[in-house]
Amino acid sequence: MSAKKKLRALAVVLPQFHPFPENDLWWGKGFTEWTNVTKARPSFKGHYQPHLPADLGFYDMRLLQTLIDQANLAEEHNISGFCFYHYWFNGKRLLETPINKILTSQKPNFPFMLAWANENWSRRWDGQDKEVLIEQKYNAEDHAAHAKYLCENEFKDDRYIKIDGKPFFLFYNAHIIPDLKETIQIWRNEVKKHGFKDIYLGGIKTSSNYIPDAEELGFDVVIEWQPDWKNLEIVPNLWDRIKNKFSLGKTYRKIDFKEVTKRMKAKKCPPNKHFHCVVPGWDNSARRKNNAFIMTDATPELYGDWLKDTCVKAEVYSDEENFLFINAWNEWAEGNHLEPDRKWKRAFLEKTKDILSIYK
């Protein structure tokens, strides 16, 4: 009889639930993610909006108690750690307050890691794609400075997730980084300079056709991210095409969550080293006035079946290479959250707990 498979689920955390100067400037005084969440309204009959929080309320991530409450709730439901989005723009960090608080207070005692959300910030949430608020630029010196900063701060923290002593770190938009192979080598060299054996570097595949040559580039693993947009392409019907062309009313694309889970369960596992990912739902109409993507009728049962299937398929490469990702813990404005809401309460979390308990 083979040994029981052990898996660790990491939930992805968005830290944009506190005001900070740049958002005040760009979006108005006091803006946080809750600003979009509370303004959301249904776009069609039966459309579940707005998504409003239950147990944790409209929290502020500047408060240590919020971070402790989030970690306690995750741990209680068999989630093994958080993967925080990390924002670095040539030495300038944004949304850094929660992680700074975790580092300085040494609380909560809960494992965490970072995913570099390397993309321009623009007004695209309002449909204005071309107005860049802060640009993501790339060069060798900045990559070295970025790695150095992390080694001296987050990576050296005992709670930071490591694999064989190597800090686990993700590039979100790996496919848009110029000179990616050379960039990865810069990161490895810098981390070794700071006394680590190496870095355990993952490239996120936000679409099935991205980073096909991950091992050749030097990644340790790819993350089969969700939503997988390439496999969820929707051909708009005639009326939607007319509305889009002439800007007639609110536009959106929608797909039934049952169809999403069916497509994803049928997807073949890639041949390279990979960790899987699932989403509990998706509906970014709170952020986007037009061209929102909506997964309709997401239920705890459908999500649970998908998570169960993913756990069965998940490969364990070593005692420490046994992760899967849940995207996300708290993407409230994308209708994509494990945190309890007023409709489902803790149902998604309870499904998560039940299924992961088999793989503890």
Side-chain angles (χ1 to χ4, degrees):
M1 189 175 174
S2 61
K4 189 175 83 166
K5 177 159 74 172
K6 292 180 182 175
L7 295 172
R8 289 183 284 173
L10 302 178
V12 180
V13 177
L14 176 72
Q16 187 156 221
F17 293 88
H18 64 88
F20 61 97
E22 287 80 6
N23 264 355
D24 284 351
L25 180 67
W26 296 331
W27 303 103
K29 189 73 174 167
F31 176 91
T32 75
E33 199 74 358
W34 297 125
T35 311
N36 286 328
V37 170
T38 54
K39 287 193 295 190
R41 295 295 178 268
S43 299
F44 48 87
K45 190 176 180 182
H47 181 203
Y48 169 39
Q49 279 292 3
H51 288 227
L52 299 175
D55 299 35
L56 299 177
F58 293 98
Y59 53 73
D60 183 331
M61 289 181 78
R62 292 173 299 186
L63 301 177
L64 180 60
Q65 191 58 52
T66 293
L67 305 174
I68 292 169
D69 290 345
Q70 288 176 311
N72 287 345
L73 190 61
E75 192 167 28
E76 190 185 323
H77 291 87
N78 290 336
I79 289 163
S80 297
F82 281 150
C83 175
F84 285 88
Y85 282 122
H86 162 73
Y87 303 85
W88 171 281
F89 296 89
N90 303 94
K92 181 172 182 60
R93 292 160 70 220
L94 292 179
L95 299 177
E96 74 282 8
T97 300
I99 283 290
N100 285 352
K101 184 81 70 174
I102 287 167
L103 294 175
T104 56
S105 71
Q106 285 297 296
K107 292 176 183 175
N109 186 21
F110 190 61
F112 71 94
M113 62 171 293
L114 300 178
W116 179 27
N118 58 301
E119 59 188 355
N120 295 339
W121 275 25
S122 71
R123 290 199 179 275
R124 66 180 178 178
W125 294 352
D126 283 356
Q128 301 172 52
D129 286 349
K130 292 177 181 174
E131 191 180 339
V132 174
L133 301 170
I134 185 165
E135 187 179 2
Q136 188 80 70
K137 297 176 184 173
Y138 305 92
N139 60 68
E141 294 73 24
D142 185 62
H143 285 304
H146 191 179
K148 178 177 186 287
Y149 164 78
L150 288 168
C151 287
E152 292 172 351
N153 294 278
E154 282 86 339
F155 288 175
K156 73 177 188 183
D157 193 284
D158 289 341
R159 295 162 296 172
Y160 194 90
I161 294 167
K162 299 175 181 75
I163 296 174
D164 190 26
K166 306 167 190 173
F168 187 15
F169 187 71
L170 304 180
F171 288 174
Y172 182 75
N173 281 302
H175 60 288
I176 66 172
I177 299 174
D179 307 313
L180 187 51
K181 192 171 184 175
E182 294 78 5
T183 294
I184 289 171
Q185 198 52 55
I186 290 166
W187 276 79
R188 293 197 183 284
N189 293 343
E190 192 63 34
V191 168
K192 287 173 188 171
K193 277 186 203 171
H194 284 79
F196 293 99
K197 188 190 293 186
D198 205 336
I199 190 170
Y200 193 92
L201 201 55
I204 288 177
K205 280 173 68 174
T206 51
S207 192
S208 292
N209 51 338
Y210 292 162
I211 48 174
D213 48 353
E215 287 166 7
E216 186 192 323
L217 289 166
F219 281 116
D220 294 288
V221 71
V222 294
I223 316 300
E224 293 287 301
W225 206 244
Q226 293 293 342
D228 174 2
W229 300 115
K230 181 69 178 170
N231 278 315
L232 294 177
E233 286 176 349
I234 303 164
V235 179
N237 61 33
L238 179 61
W239 172 233
D240 284 340
R241 291 201 296 272
I242 292 168
K243 280 205 303 183
N244 288 341
K245 182 165 184 175
F246 297 103
S247 301
L248 301 172
K250 191 182 280 190
T251 59
Y252 51 82
R253 294 165 293 154
K254 64 177 179 172
I255 184 170
D256 192 86
F257 191 66
K258 190 172 188 177
E259 175 64 18
V260 172
T261 62
K262 181 181 163 189
R263 290 189 196 184
M264 294 306 112
K265 287 195 277 190
K267 200 175 138 182
K268 286 183 180 172
C269 290
N272 54 354
K273 191 179 278 190
H274 61 277
F275 297 141
H276 289 283
C277 181
V278 298
V279 289
W282 188 274
D283 178 355
N284 60 2
S285 58
R287 274 190 182 172
R288 288 178 176 260
K289 289 187 177 70
N290 282 306
N291 208 26
F293 192 98
I294 301 167
M295 294 180 186
T296 57
D297 300 315
T299 66
E301 287 70 32
L302 288 168
Y303 157 76
D305 286 345
W306 183 15
L307 179 60
K308 190 186 297 179
D309 181 78
T310 301
C311 288
V312 169
K313 285 196 291 202
E315 291 191 51
V316 174
Y317 299 100
S318 72
D319 287 348
E320 296 187 16
E321 294 172 290
N322 60 348
F323 291 106
L324 64 91
F325 287 81
I326 302 174
N327 179 34
W329 175 255
N330 66 337
E331 282 272 16
W332 285 90
E334 292 184 336
N336 170 27
H337 49 85
L338 284 180
E339 286 181 338
D341 64 2
R342 294 184 194 176
K343 177 177 180 178
W344 294 107
K345 307 295 192 280
R346 292 190 176 196
F348 280 89
L349 275 175
E350 293 296 345
K351 279 288 177 193
T352 306
K353 180 180 183 177
D354 291 347
I355 292 155
L356 294 178
S357 67
I358 301 163
Y359 299 93
K360 280 183 80 171

